[in-house]
């Protein structure tokens, strides 16, 4: 089975390398960047600089670019992959986007007789490298069946959310509500603790051993305490993803009070010049408001 | 060593029963409620209806009443325990209160030549019953030494936060910021997911297996999905505790944006008549705003 991966970033590269290792798949990878293509080729994959350069006949294409605009361009743009795909191929679109965008892309795919799987992922770059992503999938039974060999190679768990495209995107957006609010709450608590005279490492120890813990507090406040601003996921990702949350909420007539507040905090941190840093450094917004000193500053 | 426990509620009873089981301690327990005293007596403890009824000579008293007002009354009020305690006894005060209240109580204790340990706890009723509380302790070395046999019997972990009374309370209040925001965020995400057409049980499964999880989401949304309103901790507890957060924040000149928003949500749920229910039912506030149906309604 011929498979293509579009977008060899931290998520896409991890997924692509696991597909290369899987039996029975011939895997091409698309990325604009020379370095990404070279890494992929060295691992045994077939590199391409655009969808138009793909060998013909792929039956499945996994899209792991940043957003819906890039996904549409990569599939249906002038240099997109669509003309190179086998008739009836499945488009597995894992970029985070709004449910409305997912439904629009699915309609465009169906108009061209392709199968479409709305399939956002969770697990980060580490999960992608380990072949242990969580996939939140919605689409037709035919799309799910055709996508199965690809998902088997990259995921530890595939959730079947139903037939309708958009349900996968909805689940991912609701998940990002929690992820974003938890990061902002972690920053708020850590900053208040520092302001009130607590030792930051002790605060980290108490919280991570108690009922106030979250996956994000444990993971991201470790980066903040270490002064490690390297972005596993960046502040600007949550400006975008919490934007998708408030967009979904507006469409549904739902007041997402905490998500909206968190979005403003990420927006502030980004406006201060921290958009490319690890998202835990949304704490810089609280620092600007209160003058606290972070441990490694 | 003679020990007294004041307040045989869900937390105090669990701690008191573990003290009864510990070697070398003679344990009295104070509660206004006949049923609580009867349960404690049946387990081998010595019941008392007020501090004034305690046998003389206790060297340590553990206070697990609801707030600072009750703690002061239980220790220094007309029927308080203070006159029955041994000279130089240690007052271990585990009620959740503001750092300012903890410092004031400590000063009152020191004026009477008692030792004072500011010692809030985390772990809930289940942790108290198991002798597995987390204690966040600040106070003098003498207070910590004298309190050690009591804390050994009730805690799995005792954090030493320093000498100054108020640091324990500060840590607990910062912890409650996270706990309260996480419960409100869990409710917001679950309600948005339901509004947008996701299956609530599937949403629970996806989140608890992914990076959007928190201890509170996993614990409290289970109650919501089960339609189980029995309060392990109630909505009104977080009206109070998030009030302590905003009080600390104001005192420190700190804008606690997410905590303030969460407090308003718990206040709304309480005003709607849900104050005595499991705190996960803060989701009733979102239900009122959006008309969603919860699974067991």
């Amino acid at each position: 089975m011929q498979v293509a991966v579009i977008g060899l970033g931290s998520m896409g590269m991890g997924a692509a390398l696991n597909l290369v290792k899987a039996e029975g798949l011939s895997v091409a990878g698309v990325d604009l960047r020379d370095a990404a293509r070279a890494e992929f080729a060295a691992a045994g994959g077939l590199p391409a600089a655009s969808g138009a350069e793909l060998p013909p006949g792929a039956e499945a294409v996994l899209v792991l670019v940043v957003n819906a605009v890039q996904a549409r361009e990569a599939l249906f743009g002038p240099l997109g992959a669509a003309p190179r795909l086998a008739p009836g191929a499945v488009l597995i679109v894992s970029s985070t986007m709004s449910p409305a965008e997912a439904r629009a892309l699915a309609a465009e795919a169906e108009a061209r007789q392709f199968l479409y799987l709305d399939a956002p992922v969770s697990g980060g770059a580490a999960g992608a490298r380990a072949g242990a992503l969580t996939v939140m999938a919605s689409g037709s039974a035919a799309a799910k069946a055709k996508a199965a060999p690809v998902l088997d190679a990259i995921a530890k768990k595939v959730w079947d959310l139903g037939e309708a495209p958009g349900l996968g995107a909805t689940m991912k957006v609701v998940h990002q509500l929690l992820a974003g609010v938890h990061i902002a709450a972690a920053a708020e608590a850590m900053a208040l603790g520092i302001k009130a005279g607590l030792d930051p490492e002790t605060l980290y120890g108490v919280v991570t051993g108690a009922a106030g813990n979250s996956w994000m507090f444990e993971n991201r406040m470790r980066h903040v305490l270490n002064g490690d601003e390297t972005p596993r996921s960046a502040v600007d990702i949550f400006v975008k993803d919490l934007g998708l949350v408030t967009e979904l909420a507006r469409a549904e007539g739902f007041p997402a009070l905490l998500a909206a507040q968190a979005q403003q905090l990420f927006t502030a941190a980004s406006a201060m010049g921290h958009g490319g840093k690890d998202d835990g450094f949304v704490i810089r917004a609280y620092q600007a408001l209160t003058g606290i000193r972070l441990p490694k500053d």
Side-chain angles (χ1 to χ4, degrees), chain A:
Chain A
M1 181 179 184
Q2 261 182 253
V3 176
V5 178
I6 305 184
L8 299 175
S10 61
M11 302 292 294
M13 182 66 83
L17 295 178
N18 281 296
L19 288 165
V20 168
K21 278 187 278 178
E23 274 183 43
L25 303 180
S26 163
V27 189
V30 176
D31 203 288
L32 285 171
R33 296 165 303 144
D34 295 340
R37 290 200 306 279
E39 180 184 349
F40 182 61
L46 179 71
S50 76
E53 289 184 19
L54 284 171
E59 291 180 72
V61 56
L62 174 65
V63 182
L64 267 163
V65 294
V66 167
N67 56 28
V69 171
Q70 288 190 12
R72 172 172 289 110
E73 185 72 13
L75 290 166
F76 307 125
L79 295 175
R84 313 296 291 167
L85 305 179
V90 62
L91 316 185
I92 307 167
V93 181
S94 297
S95 307
T96 299
M97 61 184 66
S98 75
E101 289 168 328
R103 286 190 292 267
L105 265 183
E108 211 161 330
E110 279 156 31
R112 295 166 194 246
Q113 317 296 325
F114 293 123
L115 299 170
Y116 189 91
L117 196 67
D118 174 20
V121 295
S122 168
R129 288 269 166 179
L133 292 170
T134 296
V135 181
M136 311 165 202
S138 69
S140 66
K144 284 168 192 160
K146 199 155 206 168
V150 174
L151 300 184
D152 286 352
I154 68 169
K156 67 173 181 195
K157 172 76 181 173
V158 180
W159 288 92
D160 183 350
L161 305 177
E163 297 269 321
L167 288 171
T170 300
M171 184 66 81
K172 178 66 189 277
V173 169
V174 171
H175 178 273
Q176 293 306 84
L177 184 163
L178 289 162
V181 171
H182 290 171
I183 296 168
E188 182 168 304
M190 181 60 74
L192 175 57
I194 291 171
K195 188 81 166 77
L198 297 176
D199 173 66
E201 283 288 351
T202 306
L203 171 55
Y204 182 83
V206 170
V207 167
T208 54
N213 198 25
S214 70
W215 195 98
M216 284 295 180
F217 182 96
E218 187 158 352
N219 188 271
R220 301 306 208 270
M221 289 304 106
R222 187 71 263 150
H223 302 163
V224 168
L225 294 175
N226 293 351
D228 179 3
E229 297 183 330
T230 315
R232 287 73 166 181
S233 169
V235 164
D236 278 344
I237 295 288
F238 276 95
V239 174
K240 170 179 82 74
D241 284 7
L242 287 168
L244 293 173
V245 173
T246 53
E247 182 185 331
L248 171 64
R250 194 168 58 244
E252 295 287 345
F254 185 96
L257 302 166
L258 291 166
Q261 181 62 74
Q263 187 194 17
Q264 299 308 307
L265 288 161
F266 282 101
T267 300
S270 180
M272 291 165 61
H274 305 299
K277 294 179 183 169
D278 183 278
D279 50 32
F281 285 85
V282 67
I283 198 170
R284 295 285 185 207
Y286 287 101
Q287 183 178 40
L289 293 167
T290 63
I292 57 165
R293 190 172 155 274
L294 299 183
K296 300 291 180 185
D297 278 359

